[in-house]
């Protein structure tokens, strides 16, 4: 007697401060006396940049064998390709907040062209936002101005010097032009609203025939992804946790820092097994 077919499960997860953690992010909650063993998953210019626990690495390897795992990040393609995650190489990856859909490491040109068309018709141009940031951001607390993939802009800031009112004013200004603002660690992002992780996740689900979608993320830029998934989790740290954000199918976890990454992967593996 044949077993009933298990539904195809798609796992779309943010990376930074969700599954992988920089040295600064490790300090969120990790006590020195009980620090877990870590695996380096990103190196740049001969320096280790990002980590996950060895336990999390094992869970991710298991997940890659039981579900369609899709790294889903605001990182540029170049920044994403610095990461060496354990487990099977993902066939699909979502970069630049949904601006690029990678298939076997290569940009899907048709998807990207569609994104550009939506941006051109639905929000203010990148040049207007970039000029506004240049004119209003104070050099005393801005370290770098950056444009990512010609899709969105971000600033690297001195977080302790960043005026809260300036961020609020920027958010209102951006909202009126079809953009959103997100502050993550030392980076302040200005991203077009039509540029979403959720749209790219839905496209991968269509291509793979996934019947269940699960997701995780910690920032404002992950909110649409979490709401679009059938089940989702957010850690106890990050922008979403700071404002107590939630959704009908979103579980707010108490764990913070790198241990939250372990918990999220446990939930992913359980969802993949149960279907």
């Amino acid at each position: 007697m044949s077993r009933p077919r298990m539904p195809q499960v798609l796992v779309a997860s943010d990376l930074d401060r969700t599954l992988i953690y920089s040295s600064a992010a490790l300090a969120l909650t990790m006590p020195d006396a009980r620090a877990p063993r870590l695996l380096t998953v990103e190196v740049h210019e001969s320096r280790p940049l990002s980590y996950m626990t060895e336990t999390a690495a094992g869970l991710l390897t298991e997940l890659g064998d039981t579900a369609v795992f899709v790294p889903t990040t605001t990182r540029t393609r170049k920044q994403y390709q610095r990461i060496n995650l354990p487990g099977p190489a993902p066939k699909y990856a979502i970069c630049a907040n949904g601006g690029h859909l990678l298939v076997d490491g290569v940009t899907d040109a048709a998807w990207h062209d569609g994104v550009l068309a939506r941006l051109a018709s639905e929000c203010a141009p990148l040049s207007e936002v970039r000029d506004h940031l240049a004119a209003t951001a104070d050099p005393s607390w801005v370290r770098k101005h950056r444009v990512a993939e010609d899709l969105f802009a971000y600033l690297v800031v001195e977080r302790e010097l960043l005026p809260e009112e300036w961020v609020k004013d920027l958010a209102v200004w951006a909202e009126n032009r079809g953009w959103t603002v997100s502050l993550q660690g030392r980076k302040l992002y200005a991203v077009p609203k039509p540029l979403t992780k959720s749209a790219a996740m839905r496209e991968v689900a269509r291509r793979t025939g996934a019947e269940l979608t699960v997701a995780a993320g910690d920032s404002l830029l992950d909110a649409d992804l979490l709401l679009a998934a059938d089940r989702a989790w957010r850690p106890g740290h990050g922008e979403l946790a700071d404002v107590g954000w939630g959704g009908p199918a979103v579980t707010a976890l108490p764990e913070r820092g790198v241990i939250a990454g372990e918990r999220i992967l446990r939930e992913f593996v359980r969802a993949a097994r149960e279907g």
Side-chain angles (χ1 to χ4, degrees):
M1 184 175 178
S2 62
R3 293 183 179 180
R5 185 181 66 85
M6 295 294 288
Q8 179 85 292
V9 178
L10 186 153
V11 177
S13 183
D14 176 51
L15 296 178
D16 293 282
R17 294 187 172 226
T18 299
L19 295 189
I20 69 174
Y21 291 79
S22 66
S23 295
L26 287 175
L28 283 171
T29 56
M30 195 168 70
D32 291 343
R34 299 196 306 276
R37 290 173 59 90
L38 298 174
L39 176 71
T40 300
V41 294
E42 179 185 13
V43 175
H44 181 52
E45 295 178 346
S46 301
R47 293 188 301 114
L49 290 186
S50 298
Y51 309 84
M52 63 195 320
T53 70
E54 289 189 351
T55 298
L59 290 165
L60 183 54
T61 299
E62 180 179 351
L63 181 68
D65 291 329
T66 56
V68 179
F69 172 62
V70 184
T72 306
T73 180
T74 305
R75 285 180 177 231
T76 65
R77 289 169 292 173
K78 186 176 181 180
Q79 291 167 340
Y80 166 69
Q81 287 161 352
R82 296 197 305 244
I83 300 171
N84 183 22
L85 293 171
K91 180 175 181 61
Y92 296 98
I94 296 166
C95 294
N97 217 64
H100 286 280
L101 174 58
L102 304 188
V103 183
D104 294 324
V106 179
T107 289
D108 185 301
W111 172 261
H112 183 61
D113 289 345
V115 169
L116 294 179
R118 288 195 298 275
L119 297 186
S121 64
E122 297 178 22
C123 62
L126 172 62
S127 58
E128 182 178 345
V129 175
R130 187 182 62 231
D131 290 348
H132 183 76
L133 291 173
T136 62
D138 193 321
S140 67
W141 43 262
V142 173
R143 292 296 167 259
K144 297 176 184 177
H145 288 258
R146 291 287 185 265
V147 170
E149 302 271 20
D150 291 323
L151 292 169
F152 61 90
Y154 66 93
L155 305 177
V156 180
V157 301
E158 295 291 348
R159 185 68 179 264
E160 64 278 7
L161 301 177
L162 182 65
E164 187 175 329
E165 283 305 311
W166 183 87
V167 177
K168 291 179 180 178
D169 290 345
L170 176 64
V172 172
W173 182 91
E175 174 75 24
N176 292 334
R177 288 158 180 81
W179 287 60
T180 191
V181 171
S182 173
L183 183 59
Q184 303 174 38
R186 296 177 59 240
K187 291 183 179 178
L188 184 140
Y189 293 89
V191 177
K193 286 190 173 183
L195 188 66
T196 65
K197 294 178 177 180
S198 60
M201 179 191 73
R202 290 189 183 100
E203 175 62 12
V204 178
R206 184 189 69 80
R207 295 187 188 193
T208 59
E211 299 167 49
L212 178 72
T213 57
V214 299
D218 70 300
S219 81
L220 180 63
L221 297 177
D222 297 313
D224 69 283
L225 177 71
L226 304 191
L227 291 174
D230 295 310
R231 296 174 62 190
W233 295 266
R234 68 158 174 82
H237 62 261
E239 275 187 309
L240 299 180
D242 288 347
V243 297
W245 181 90
V250 180
T251 299
L253 300 175
E255 290 88 352
R256 293 166 49 85
V258 71
I259 299 303
E262 277 189 18
R263 173 67 187 278
I264 287 166
L265 282 162
R266 290 186 198 282
E267 297 295 343
F268 284 163
V269 169
R270 184 178 294 114
R273 287 174 177 167
E274 295 173 355

